[in-house]
Amino acid sequence: MKELALFRRARSHGSAVALSSGGVDTSYETVLNRSSQVAATLLGELDDLNEARVAFLVPPSSDYVVAQWGVWRAGGIAIPLCLSATDGEWEYALKDSQAEILVVPEGGSDATVAVAERLGLRVVRLRADAVPSSKGLPELGGDRRAMILYTSGTTSKPKGVVSTHGNIQAQIESLVEAWRWQATDRIPLFLPLHHIHGIINVLACALWIGARIECYPRFDMGAILERVRANAFTVFMAVPTIYVKLIQALEQSSESDRAAIIRGFGQMRLMISGSAALPASVHERWTALTGQVLLERYGMTEIGMALSNPFDGERRPGAVGQALPRVEVRLKSEAGVVVTSEAEVGEIQVRGPAVFGEYWGKAEVTEKSFDEGWFRTGDVAVMERGYYRIMGRLSVDIIKSGGYKLSALEIEAVLIEHPQILECAVVGVSDETWGEAVAAAIVLVEGESMELTELRAWCRDRMSVYKMPHRLAVVLALPRNAMGKVTKPALRDLFD
Ligand code: MCA
Ligand code: AMP
């Protein structure tokens, strides 16, 4: 039977612990057995789901992998939903992907189940049953579509990035090679599992190699530092905001606590930062505190990881290194010419087996995203002394906050629905902790006033917490249509 390499490899890891959550260990064998049960349940009388979309809302745990692998082994396309999303956001993802089934843990996710049932989806609840199913499972090739991840961008609604099993395998193999993943590795997983940083870089790479993952429902600083002190981890992957928060925590802790935690970080074999720019000052502060030189890398949902500082050799603060194995990268200037010399700025374009093929149901947008077969990232960079350095983005409407990519247009679309708001514009403003913070400038209906807390209460029912504006300028004196006359860069200055 043709089986994906991921599952063949898992079989060979057998009784080794794959994941541990809340003190409960789960072996590779158990994950395989349970996922075959899920696959059999999803299939029912069918032989193959044939790329039917199956959404799942499962916290980081062995259950998450059981659900993901269950969908894959049944031949479906897995759509991991955001745990902190609102009903409207879930509804959008389920409808846009034309999902047919929703998988949830045995006892949870009532709100999502209600949304799914209203939309007529079949709901499957995970069970603890670890006996393998005897049902024959479909053969899967690399070109089989495997996953849809929703990513915000330059359109007002998130787009579904479709990756095939071949894309996913290429992304994993490149990182396993570049970062020297080992079966003896132990890594904490506290990043959200609806984005590739958590899904591919942490979860999939570790499972591929036979390593051990310790799951946390969120970034729980106290619990994680406790385990760092106990030398529980060999590899650590986080977004810059987390390193900023860790530095603050270390600086505030007692001398003896700090020494013990620093020892735990110091003995790890690899610590990585990515998803947003790591300020050189944070990079240097971390080295000064812990002796660890962070490895910064650059990636995107559509392409996996593309650039990385080296495992061996110089890890340069403020730079993202060179192309990863089997990833081709070029810079294209504003004039449309491929950049061939250092110090010349251009858009990062990427090609290779890890690059996705399509946005779900958006052929035209997909076509515009490629330039002669190269994916246009929208990020601008320059090559300096052999390493790429990211300079910014082509679109002002894309914001990176806490490692999450947000669309200013999506947030504006929510704000403008507020009855007291006449006009609005959203920008990202630089922020020491969050990289960028979401800032909203609004023109109110005459005679009205508004507090930030009021605005955030309005947003809370309509968008996940990390998308909500954390800064507000209420522009009262401007005439109607004033917003259209102010550029977004000028608005950014208003907040600085
Ligand atoms: C939350 N808060 C914020 C933000 N988010 N304030 C400003 N800006 C924000 N973006 C506020 C909340 O309102 C709350 O305020 C307080 O901070 C704590 O919120 P909470 O959610 O509990 O924060 P946290 O748990 O400390 O979360 C911070 C985090 C999280 C761990 C950095 O944002 C995170 O997991 N980020 C990673 C996202 C990620 O994985 N991105 C990768 C995408 P109050 O206390 O007043 O209520 S994939 C990608 O980018 C590519 C492919 C790549 O290269 O990796
Ligand atoms: P996402 O769509 O969530 O996958 O986010 C991808 C975006 O994150 C990229 O297009 C970049 O703008 C940004 N990004 C990822 N890693 C880095 C990095 N090391 N430095 C600067 N930006 C980064």
Side-chain angles (χ1 to χ4, degrees):
M1 186 187 78
K2 198 165 159 200
E3 193 178 38
L4 290 178
L6 180 65
F7 305 135
R8 268 201 318 274
R9 296 180 62 94
R11 217 169 288 291
S12 73
H13 305 319
S15 60
V17 174
L19 302 114
S20 101
S21 12
V24 178
D25 292 344
T26 307
S27 69
Y28 281 88
E29 194 178 15
T30 300
V31 175
L32 277 172
N33 289 348
R34 289 189 61 205
S35 64
S36 74
Q37 280 287 353
V38 172
T41 304
L42 293 173
L43 283 167
E45 300 294 307
L46 300 172
D47 295 327
D48 188 337
L49 285 185
N50 279 317
E51 300 187 340
R53 271 74 59 212
V54 184
F56 62 106
L57 188 78
V58 183
S61 59
S62 54
D63 273 2
Y64 180 98
V65 184
V66 166
Q68 184 196 55
W69 287 12
V71 177
W72 284 350
R73 297 179 81 189
I77 300 181
I79 308 166
L81 299 177
C82 168
L83 286 164
S84 66
T86 60
D87 287 6
E89 289 171 321
W90 285 321
E91 177 164 344
Y92 172 76
L94 295 175
K95 273 188 175 162
D96 183 76
S97 62
Q98 299 147 300
E100 292 175 22
I101 308 174
L102 173 73
V103 178
V104 292
E106 198 161 17
S109 306
D110 287 346
T112 341
V113 168
V115 173
E117 284 178 345
R118 181 157 45 78
L119 297 176
L121 273 73
R122 179 181 155 210
V123 175
V124 169
R125 288 188 183 272
L126 296 173
R127 289 178 302 136
D129 193 351
V131 180
S133 159
S134 55
K135 184 173 171 70
L137 299 176
E139 293 195 358
L140 304 173
D143 55 1
R144 168 82 61 131
R145 292 180 292 183
M147 186 160 72
I148 299 179
L149 297 182
Y150 278 88
T151 182
S152 296
T154 47
T155 47
S156 69
K157 287 285 188 188
K159 302 189 288 279
V161 175
V162 186
S163 310
T164 62
H165 284 294
N167 296 146
I168 291 171
Q169 185 167 328
Q171 293 176 11
I172 297 170
E173 286 179 319
S174 179
L175 297 186
V176 165
E177 180 184 328
W179 298 341
R180 315 264 173 90
W181 271 95
Q182 299 161 13
T184 48
D185 277 328
R186 291 166 274 127
I187 187 166
L189 169 61
F190 42 73
L191 294 171
L193 286 180
H194 61 291
H195 286 307
I196 63 166
H197 196 160
I199 299 172
I200 301 290
N201 298 22
V202 180
L203 195 64
C205 285
L207 294 173
W208 178 268
I209 204 74
R212 180 189 177 119
I213 302 154
E214 207 166 289
C215 302
Y216 294 86
R218 50 180 289 278
F219 180 67
D220 180 344
M221 173 92 77
I224 291 161
L225 288 185
E226 214 30 65
R227 296 291 290 148
V228 169
R229 288 171 77 119
N231 293 344
F233 309 121
T234 62
V235 181
F236 196 91
M237 293 190 197
V239 297
T241 298
I242 288 181
Y243 288 109
V244 173
K245 287 182 176 230
L246 284 171
I247 290 171
Q248 288 163 356
L250 281 173
E251 286 177 343
Q252 283 160 17
S253 59
S254 73
E255 218 165 285
S256 62
D257 279 348
R258 191 185 319 147
I261 295 165
I262 283 173
R263 257 197 311 280
F265 279 121
Q267 59 77 45
M268 291 183 195
R269 72 164 191 88
L270 182 62
M271 297 192 73
I272 297 183
S273 173
S275 296
L278 178 71
S281 57
V282 176
H283 192 292
E284 282 154 4
R285 184 79 195 110
W286 189 256
T287 306
L289 263 176
T290 65
Q292 280 280 356
V293 183
L294 294 176
L295 181 155
E296 185 176 3
R297 57 53 179 187
Y298 159 90
M300 196 171 177
T301 307
E302 288 86 338
I303 59 174
M305 297 302 109
L307 299 166
S308 173
N309 275 277
F311 185 83
D312 294 315
E314 184 197 7
R315 298 182 190 165
R316 192 183 300 164
V320 288
Q322 298 172 331
L324 279 155
R326 294 173 292 288
V327 180
E328 286 180 84
V329 176
R330 72 178 187 184
L331 298 182
K332 192 105 182 252
S333 75
E334 220 177 339
V337 179
V338 176
V339 170
T340 51
S341 60
E342 291 220 339
E344 213 183 316
V345 174
E347 181 190 47
I348 302 176
Q349 300 195 344
V350 182
R351 196 168 70 170
V355 176
F356 83 128
E358 63 182 308
Y359 292 112
W360 180 258
K362 294 188 167 49
E364 221 174 286
V365 186
T366 305
E367 205 190 316
K368 285 196 191 125
S369 308
F370 286 87
D371 174 2
E372 302 157 334
W374 295 76
F375 176 68
R376 308 182 51 195
T377 63
D379 291 306
V380 176
V382 65
M383 172 78 92
E384 281 171 353
R385 291 180 290 123
Y387 281 21
Y388 287 93
R389 184 163 67 82
I390 312 280
M391 316 266 301
R393 284 178 298 269
L394 288 175
S395 168
V396 281
D397 288 321
I398 291 179
I399 301 168
K400 262 272 157 159
S401 190
Y404 284 107
K405 185 171 174 182
L406 312 176
S407 161
L409 305 178
E410 186 184 346
I411 301 167
E412 285 165 6
V414 170
L415 299 184
I416 204 67
E417 292 294 314
H418 192 291
Q420 281 170 247
I421 296 178
L422 198 60
E423 290 178 68
C424 68
V426 166
V427 287
V429 291
S430 66
D431 183 279
E432 259 180 37
T433 302
W434 299 97
E436 286 182 292
V438 177
I442 59 177
V443 176
L444 292 174
V445 170
E446 219 174 315
E448 302 284 358
S449 66
M450 189 180 283
E451 299 283 331
L452 180 56
T453 45
E454 210 180 317
L455 184 77
R456 293 189 64 208
W458 165 263
C459 293
R460 197 161 298 129
D461 294 337
R462 294 165 177 84
M463 59 173 105
S464 174
V465 60
Y466 57 82
K467 298 181 185 171
M468 301 197 322
H470 284 82
R471 309 257 180 93
L472 177 65
V474 181
V475 188
L476 295 166
L478 289 176
R480 211 186 164 86
N481 297 325
M483 243 19 136
K485 300 188 183 80
V486 186
T487 64
K488 287 208 168 176
L491 264 186
R492 276 204 200 124
D493 294 342
L494 184 81
F495 286 96
D496 281 341

